[in-house]
Amino acid sequence: MPSTVLTATIAQPTEAETTPLDVNTASMKANGKERDDFFWAYTEEPHRTRRQAIIKAHPEVLKLCGPEPLTIPVVLAVVALQVVCSWFVKDAAFFSWRFLTTAYIIGATANQNLFLAIHEISHNLAFKSPLANRLFAVVANLPIGIPYSASFRPYHLTHHKSLGVDGLDTDLPTALEAWFLDSVGGKAFFCTFQILFYALRPMMVYKIPLTNMHAFNIAAQISFDVAILKVFGGTALGYFIMSSFLAGSLHPCAGHFIAEHYVFSQHARLAEGRKSEAAKLVPPPETFSYYGILNIFTYNVGLHNEHHDFPAIPWTRLWKLNEIANEFYCDLPCHHSWVGVTWQFIRDKEVGLWCRVKRKEGGRKVGAGEGAMHAQPPLVSR
């Protein structure tokens, strides 16, 4: 595979624009095998432009926005399922087949579902009331074992407002991660323990102020964990923690973490073949969708271009958005397998943590105590 495949995604700039994507800053060494920087972009993220184009062509998509009440019983059912499973394994040895298979097959899938329920709720898509959504996210958090829903919301909304912005988008790997894990073994380690990277990285990029909701999240989680410990025992509580770890490890559903925004070489080549006029009106993609069966367990998070284009459209209506505005999505590169994504990410020497689009300017923090626009000196091309 060619080493500079991303050049295929460069949009034609106007006379007043800087080149949107600096391939030199994503250069490869002479042997074509080792990256030394991310892909740096000088245009705004593509979703705002595509959203405006879709609304102009299909104003009816705005009727799809708003809460989805079905989220509420689904979350409660999965929480109940996890409590039942914790009871089922409470007398099992921690590393027994009964414990591990239940934690991997049911627990990890269920907790990945709850991760993405919290993701959905962070966009106020369960209730009309923002406060009700925040409180309900704490309920969804309970079987995860560790309080995080209150912190996830501001970091995630900042990810939407500041996609790819260095120093704001905590979904982006740091340069240290990308350099240190730039090998097959390093990427395998990252995929195995990626839940820890996603949990710890945000706090190292910037800190958000603690609020009453954080205190409630922590208090509710400790109370729940203590209750489980007293009623079912330590193995039951360990089941929740192990389920959360496996959900963000080498699990089929965990492939979405990498699939959503990492640039794979085949995507750049497919971008050359975009045929429809609608697809040519918008900037090249840096978000990638997946339309496979695992969306059933993950609140359709695979429809990630659709989600970033319209974060106010809930999971049950994303397919309808794709149907209505299909000409904007049918030619965009996408993934066909989350398992395949993880496998290629680990094995392919041209794919790694460097394969993310970054930008130095734009965006803003959400719920982080400052609303100022983020601006840094423009990156100088090497």
Side-chain angles (χ1 to χ4, degrees):
M1 286 178 276
S3 61
T4 55
V5 289
L6 198 62
T7 55
T9 68
I10 297 178
Q12 292 299 317
T14 64
E15 293 181 1
E17 288 180 328
T18 309
T19 303
L21 202 56
D22 185 355
V23 179
N24 289 329
T25 61
S27 62
M28 308 289 283
K29 292 192 174 181
N31 62 10
K33 294 183 180 180
E34 189 174 354
R35 296 187 184 279
D36 59 12
D37 208 344
F38 298 94
F39 298 115
W40 290 96
Y42 300 97
T43 57
E44 69 172 1
E45 54 89 8
H47 299 287
R48 178 175 176 271
T49 305
R50 184 161 54 238
R51 177 165 56 249
Q52 292 173 336
I54 290 174
I55 291 173
K56 182 177 180 180
H58 303 285
E60 66 272 22
V61 299
L62 295 177
K63 297 179 181 179
L64 300 175
C65 297
E68 172 52 78
L70 180 60
T71 302
I72 301 166
V74 171
V75 167
L76 294 177
V78 176
V79 169
L81 171 65
Q82 281 294 76
V83 172
V84 170
C85 286
S86 71
W87 168 82
F88 174 72
V89 301
K90 67 183 178 67
D91 297 320
F94 194 78
F95 290 106
S96 66
W97 280 108
R98 177 181 173 186
F99 180 91
L100 292 176
T101 54
T102 304
Y104 187 84
I105 296 173
I106 301 177
T109 306
N111 275 12
Q112 183 67 249
N113 178 273
L114 292 172
F115 290 161
L116 294 167
I118 292 170
H119 165 265
E120 189 80 4
I121 296 165
S122 72
H123 291 284
N124 293 330
L125 292 177
F127 296 90
K128 292 182 179 179
S129 163
L131 178 59
N133 281 287
R134 295 190 190 191
L135 294 173
F136 193 57
V138 173
V139 175
N141 195 153
L142 295 177
I144 292 169
I146 298 171
Y148 92 102
S149 64
S151 295
F152 173 80
R153 182 179 181 275
Y155 282 122
H156 180 68
L157 296 182
T158 298
H159 164 67
H160 274 266
K161 293 290 186 181
S162 311
L163 182 64
V165 178
D166 194 31
L168 286 185
D169 185 356
T170 58
D171 187 66
L172 293 166
T174 63
L176 178 61
E177 291 173 67
W179 170 77
F180 189 72
L181 300 173
D182 191 21
S183 66
V184 171
K187 290 184 290 182
F189 179 87
F190 175 78
C191 290
T192 302
F193 297 97
Q194 62 182 316
I195 192 67
L196 302 181
F197 287 89
Y198 281 102
L200 299 176
R201 183 194 300 139
M203 296 181 289
M204 297 179 181
V205 176
Y206 69 88
K207 292 180 173 60
I208 58 174
L210 295 179
T211 65
N212 291 334
M213 189 55 64
H214 287 87
F216 176 72
N217 188 190
I218 294 169
Q221 191 66 57
I222 291 175
S223 299
F224 179 80
D225 289 351
V226 169
I228 290 293
L229 190 62
K230 288 186 175 181
V231 176
F232 293 160
T235 302
L237 180 59
Y239 165 79
F240 290 139
I241 304 299
M242 180 62 78
S243 295
S244 296
F245 171 75
L246 293 174
S249 185
L250 297 175
H251 187 275
C253 292
H256 81 87
F257 289 119
I258 294 169
E260 290 165 359
H261 297 293
Y262 281 87
V263 179
F264 284 59
S265 54
Q266 66 267 31
H267 293 150
R269 291 198 297 273
L270 284 170
E272 292 180 314
R274 290 187 294 169
K275 299 181 289 296
S276 74
E277 290 302 315
K280 294 176 183 177
L281 290 175
V282 297
E286 55 194 75
T287 302
F288 305 94
S289 289
Y290 157 80
Y291 300 106
I293 194 170
L294 293 180
N295 280 301
I296 294 173
F297 304 104
T298 56
Y299 286 89
N300 289 326
V301 75
L303 280 71
H304 216 64
N305 266 305
E306 292 83 346
H307 169 65
H308 268 268
D309 288 351
F310 291 90
I313 294 180
W315 60 284
T316 53
R317 301 172 206 152
L318 289 174
W319 286 106
K320 187 64 176 179
L321 168 63
N322 180 281
E323 177 186 336
I324 293 172
N326 188 255
E327 70 272 24
F328 289 90
Y329 297 113
C330 63
D331 291 318
L332 294 179
C334 63
H335 291 289
H336 301 288
S337 167
W338 280 341
V339 174
V341 163
T342 303
W343 178 254
Q344 183 180 353
F345 179 81
I346 294 172
R347 294 293 304 274
D348 192 339
K349 294 181 179 180
E350 291 186 12
V351 179
L353 277 76
W354 295 113
C355 295
R356 288 292 298 265
V357 176
K358 282 193 176 186
R359 43 183 56 84
K360 281 287 182 181
E361 298 179 333
R364 65 182 178 87
K365 293 179 181 177
V366 179
E370 60 181 88
M373 299 296 289
H374 179 70
Q376 297 180 3
L379 189 72
V380 178
S381 299
R382 290 184 290 194

